[in-house]
Structures are given as structure tokens and as C-alpha cells.
Amino acid sequence: MNSLVLKKGREKSLKRRHPWIFSGAVDKANAKSGETVEVRDAAGKVLARAAYSPKSQIRARVWTFDAAESVDADFFRGRIQKALALREALPAAKHTNALRLVHGESDGLPGLIVDRYADVLVAQFLAAGVERWRDTILDLLMELTGCAAIYERSDAEVRKLEGLPPRAGFARGNQNASRCPIIEYGLNFRVDVEQGQKTGFFLDQRENRQRVRALAAGRDVLDGFCYTGGFSIAALAGGAKRIAAIESSAAALEVAKENLAANPLDASRVEFVQADVFAQLRKLRDGAARFDLIILDPPKFAPTAAQVKKAARAYKDINLWALKLLAPGGLLATFSCSGSVSPELFQSIVAGAALDAGADAKIIERFTAAADHPVALEFPEGEYLKGLLVLRS
């Protein structure tokens, strides 16, 4: 088998079972992109088997820490079956037909994301290893889930770092997947798996949408970055008095309006506003608007660590304006999906925003991703979504 030899003393993270091997830790390697390598320490001891990626700073991603385990079709069958069994046992499986089935490293399948929307799967192959095993994985997904089609959304920027070209389209089966109808806690949504952000819908926010639903009764609500209306519709179902839903994308708002129409709710209570959220928050502040519940779920402001400083400024701005718009006794549900922004930094940013807004505020709850987005204990990088529920006194 091909091998990758670590520099002396660089095996510590592997002994802690962290699945990434960075380029600076590698002494020498003999493999092509995506091939499986035996990972050896400087003394020649085999520590793991991993997928090699010669163009990425993450030079190898560990498949298994069992040096005797073969990485073959049966290996992938076992990992996928285990991931599916975990989801089938979740309480959410009783309330929705849309779940994340495979969550990359945390399911032992580095670089693979698979979401299920009713009978359509959306798969992302984001690393050289899963790219090499793509056909095997696709066949297994079709067999083990019984779904009608798999739409591939391997068009994320991270593929460039792996030296892989973008790819999107039906990989297995073929049907109209521009509007996959799903159900989430009794609410109907239409998911555009072909053109939507990420895989089409933010499944990681499922339980947080349900929490907002429980908090919304009788409140005037502002939903910033509303995308296709998930939080807005949940708030409306929870009895919100009125909702201002802001989104810059006209295409996303069209889906949001379809989602609203798909539910037996009073649509007159929702006003969809196509606008830049930053500018609209300033406009509302200048107009002395007041809200009892504000939701801020922006896109990823910091795709990489190099962009954290700029992202921090953006997070502070939107939270500052939101806190100024929040009535006394009001609630702010604020989120960051930037993995490079730690929970500690995010809390610090929101604290700074409250200070500048002259708002006496406190955290009363914390939000994380739904349970179908597990985080392996040895892989804290898998915990990217964080949120705070802040009460303005």
C-alpha cells in the first residue's frame, strides 16, 4: 500500500484521533490524489489509513485508525449504514422527512455531506478521498436509502483547495428536484436542491426554528437574512403578531412566498422585503422601529480564518443595529455559521454590540446545530453553528 510518513514528533494529533494531517506534518508520501495511504510515524509504526490529497493543506484525511481495516466498498457500506441508523433513531425522524444523513468527518466519512429531502438525496463530495470513491458511494446511497434520485452539489469553494473542479447535476436518477416538498414539524416547505444555498435548505437550524416558533406568540418579529422563510414561517405558526422578513435574493424570496402559501397560515401578517439586510436594519433604526423578537441568521461571513477580522465587524454591525431595534423585554436570536468564528469570539462580538448599543442584555439560551449534524469529540472543527438567545432588559 502507498504510504505517508510523518515528521518526527508530528503524530500527537493522530494519537488523539484527530482525522486531519496537515502538509507541514508530512515528511514524505507516495500516492496519487484520493488514494488510500498507510500513515506511519517517523519510526515506521502504522497509525492509520487515510485519503491522500496532494494539493490541499490538509494533506490527508483519516479513514480509520485501525491499521488492519481495509478501505473498500464494504468499509463504505458499514460507515453509511451506521450513519443512517443514527438518524433513524433521532426524535426528529418522527417529525420530518428531511435530515442530514452523512456529516463528513463526524460520521467517519471525511469530505462527504449527504442530505435527504423526501425521496431526493443531495450529496457533496468535498475532498479527494470521497471523490475517488464517488461511484461506490453513490451506488450504496441509492441501495441503502431507497431514494429515487441523487442530486450532486459538489460546487463548494472548498473543492478548489483539493484541486477538484466543481460539479453539479443528477448523479443517480432524474426528476424535477427544483422544488422538493418536505415537512418539518407539521410545516410545509419547498426546497430548491438545484439552485439553493448549500444543499438547498438549512437543516442544521431545524430545532432552532422550532424554538423560535415557541417564543413567537404575540410578538412583532424581524427576520433578517430570511432566505426561503424557515424562521419566518415557524414564527408565524407560533402566533407572531407580524413579521418583517428581509432577504437580498429575489430567487430566495420567491421560494419563501411559495413556502408561506403551502401552509394554512395568515399570510397577511408577513411582509417580505427584498433589500440588503445591513442597509435595511439602518433604515429601520433611523425610522425608530421596534420589534419584540429579532432573528439574525446570516450567511457565512468568514469562510476561512483569514476573513475572521472582517467577519467580526459584520457580525458586530448587524447585532448592534438589531439590539437598537429591540424593545425592552425583547429577544434576539443571533447566529453564526462561520466555523472560523469560535463560540467565545461570537459571544464577545455580541457583547461588544450590546455595549455600543447601550443595551442591558443577557444570554438566556445557547443554540447549536440539530442532532443530525453530530460533532465527533476528537473533531471540534465539526461544530460550526453557534447561536445565542439574548434578552434585552
Side-chain angles (χ1 to χ4, degrees), residues 8 21 116 227 331 357:
K8 187 175 181 180
I21 301 169
R116 179 172 192 159
Y227 188 46
L331 296 170

Side-chain angles (χ1 to χ4, degrees), residues 11 58 72 97 147 153 185 189 220 224 297-298 305 308 318:
E11 69 280 356
I58 304 173
D72 53 19
N97 59 355
C147 283
R153 285 294 303 272
Y185 287 107
F189 294 98
D220 287 337
D297 183 24
V308 167
I318 59 172

Side-chain angles (χ1 to χ4, degrees), residues 26-110:
V26 178
D27 180 28
K28 56 185 177 181
N30 173 33
K32 296 178 181 177
S33 179
E35 287 186 341
T36 300
V37 294
E38 281 190 337
V39 181
R40 300 175 179 270
D41 64 16
K45 182 181 177 181
V46 178
L47 304 174
R49 289 186 174 181
Y52 186 62
S53 182
K55 295 187 177 181
S56 174
Q57 287 298 308
I58 304 173
R59 196 54 51 92
R61 288 173 167 83
V62 173
W63 290 128
T64 175
F65 289 93
D66 180 351
E69 185 175 15
S70 297
V71 179
D72 53 19
D74 286 340
F75 169 87
F76 290 100
R77 177 182 292 275
R79 291 289 169 95
I80 293 171
Q81 286 176 327
K82 188 175 181 180
L84 295 178
L86 186 156
R87 275 68 180 184
E88 288 167 3
L90 292 176
K94 299 180 178 66
H95 303 287
T96 184
N97 59 355
L99 291 163
R100 172 149 296 182
L101 301 184
V102 179
H103 191 50
E105 281 80 350
S106 292
D107 281 307
L109 292 166

Side-chain angles (χ1 to χ4, degrees), residues 324-338:
K324 286 189 174 184
L325 291 168
L326 200 60
L331 296 170
L332 169 63
T334 182
F335 298 92
S336 166
C337 63
S338 299

Side-chain angles (χ1 to χ4, degrees), residues 69 107 121 160 220 340 349 368 371:
E69 185 175 15
D107 281 307
L121 299 181
K160 292 182 180 179
D220 287 337
S340 299
I349 291 167
T368 60

Side-chain angles (χ1 to χ4, degrees), residues 61-183:
R61 288 173 167 83
V62 173
W63 290 128
T64 175
F65 289 93
D66 180 351
E69 185 175 15
S70 297
V71 179
D72 53 19
D74 286 340
F75 169 87
F76 290 100
R77 177 182 292 275
R79 291 289 169 95
I80 293 171
Q81 286 176 327
K82 188 175 181 180
L84 295 178
L86 186 156
R87 275 68 180 184
E88 288 167 3
L90 292 176
K94 299 180 178 66
H95 303 287
T96 184
N97 59 355
L99 291 163
R100 172 149 296 182
L101 301 184
V102 179
H103 191 50
E105 281 80 350
S106 292
D107 281 307
L109 292 166
L112 180 65
I113 301 296
V114 182
D115 288 341
R116 179 172 192 159
Y117 299 109
D119 63 347
V120 175
L121 299 181
V122 181
Q124 292 182 306
F125 295 83
L126 303 177
V130 286
E131 176 77 6
R132 190 172 185 87
W133 286 94
R134 175 178 175 270
D135 285 335
T136 297
I137 291 169
L138 289 169
D139 290 342
L140 287 167
L141 287 171
M142 288 291 284
E143 174 193 341
L144 296 173
T145 67
C147 283
I150 303 177
Y151 193 84
E152 185 175 359
R153 285 294 303 272
S154 298
D155 52 2
E157 286 292 310
V158 69
R159 276 179 65 94
K160 292 182 180 179
L161 303 178
E162 294 284 311
L164 302 173
R167 185 173 56 240
F170 279 101
R172 294 289 186 276
N174 196 328
Q175 64 184 65
N176 180 12
S178 62
R179 294 289 190 274
C180 286
I182 66 165
I183 299 172

